[in-house]
Amino acid sequence: MNILFFLTPKNEVAYIYEDDSLRQALEKMEYHKYSAIPVINKTGKYVGTITEGDMLWGIKNKFNLSLKESESVTVAEIDRRSDNRPVYADSDMEGLIDKALNQNFVPVVDDQKNFIGIITRKDIIRYFYEKSQEVQKPAVKSQMVLRTE
């Protein structure tokens, strides 16, 4: 199966630029109710993923900021604990599922490492759940027919 079936394209995904301010990142995450968000550079390359925790620890340990002062700190200045590992658009399902097991979303990049969107773990689970329901429906119907005979 082609993993692009699950893709939420870049134009439908909230993301931030590495030179956005910490305040801009916080406000975007709050608006979209995200706890983690992809970070890209101005050329569109995927840089990593920043989380609420990364920002909070950065504020506490590195900058000791007020909200107003957070406008002068860029996202690139915040240390990230870990990044959601991306998959390439031509990756297989095994690679996608391996990453989705440990990440809420999997960034998708093209062969030039340009960010093109994300695949959420929720979408993968929903797809396989619906497929399992389709498989079960014929089996349940055939059992009902056998019982009525």
Side-chain angles (χ1 to χ4, degrees), residues 39-74:
V39 180
I40 64 174
N41 65 21
K42 286 296 183 185
T43 63
K45 304 258 187 279
Y46 175 71
V47 172
T49 302
I50 195 159
T51 67
E52 292 171 328
D54 295 334
M55 290 186 217
L56 290 171
W57 293 120
I59 289 168
K60 177 188 173 285
N61 297 330
K62 193 171 183 179
F63 298 106
N64 194 23
L65 299 173
S66 70
L67 190 56
K68 181 67 178 160
E69 293 167 326
S70 71
E71 294 174 5
S72 64
V73 176
T74 66

Side-chain angles (χ1 to χ4, degrees), residues 4-141:
L4 295 180
F5 173 79
F6 299 104
L7 183 73
T8 301
K10 179 181 177 181
N11 64 344
E12 296 177 21
V13 174
Y15 55 88
I16 55 176
Y17 292 101
E18 66 181 344
D19 61 352
D20 283 352
S21 73
L22 178 58
R23 182 175 182 163
Q24 289 170 308
L26 286 167
E27 289 175 349
K28 187 170 276 191
M29 289 174 71
E30 178 184 31
Y31 178 80
H32 292 282
K33 297 179 178 34
Y34 287 176
S35 59
I37 193 165
V39 180
I40 64 174
N41 65 21
K42 286 296 183 185
T43 63
K45 304 258 187 279
Y46 175 71
V47 172
T49 302
I50 195 159
T51 67
E52 292 171 328
D54 295 334
M55 290 186 217
L56 290 171
W57 293 120
I59 289 168
K60 177 188 173 285
N61 297 330
K62 193 171 183 179
F63 298 106
N64 194 23
L65 299 173
S66 70
L67 190 56
K68 181 67 178 160
E69 293 167 326
S70 71
E71 294 174 5
S72 64
V73 176
T74 66
V75 170
E77 295 175 79
I78 301 292
D79 296 326
R80 296 185 307 270
R81 185 173 48 93
S82 65
D83 290 318
N84 287 13
R85 296 178 307 152
V87 293
Y88 286 95
D90 62 353
S91 295
D92 59 20
M93 283 299 292
E94 286 180 19
L96 172 64
I97 290 175
D98 179 54
K99 287 180 177 60
L101 288 171
N102 299 306
Q103 309 174 174
N104 288 334
F105 67 88
V106 180
V108 181
V109 296
D110 65 13
D111 57 349
Q112 301 295 310
K113 296 188 180 177
N114 292 306
F115 177 73
I116 63 171
I118 64 170
I119 297 173
T120 64
R121 184 168 43 198
K122 180 180 179 179
D123 287 340
I124 296 168
I125 292 169
R126 180 182 296 123
Y127 171 80
F128 284 108
Y129 174 76
E130 289 171 0
K131 284 291 185 194
S132 73
Q133 295 299 77
E134 291 172 12
V135 170
Q136 289 178 1
K137 284 179 185 176
V140 169
K141 285 182 183 178

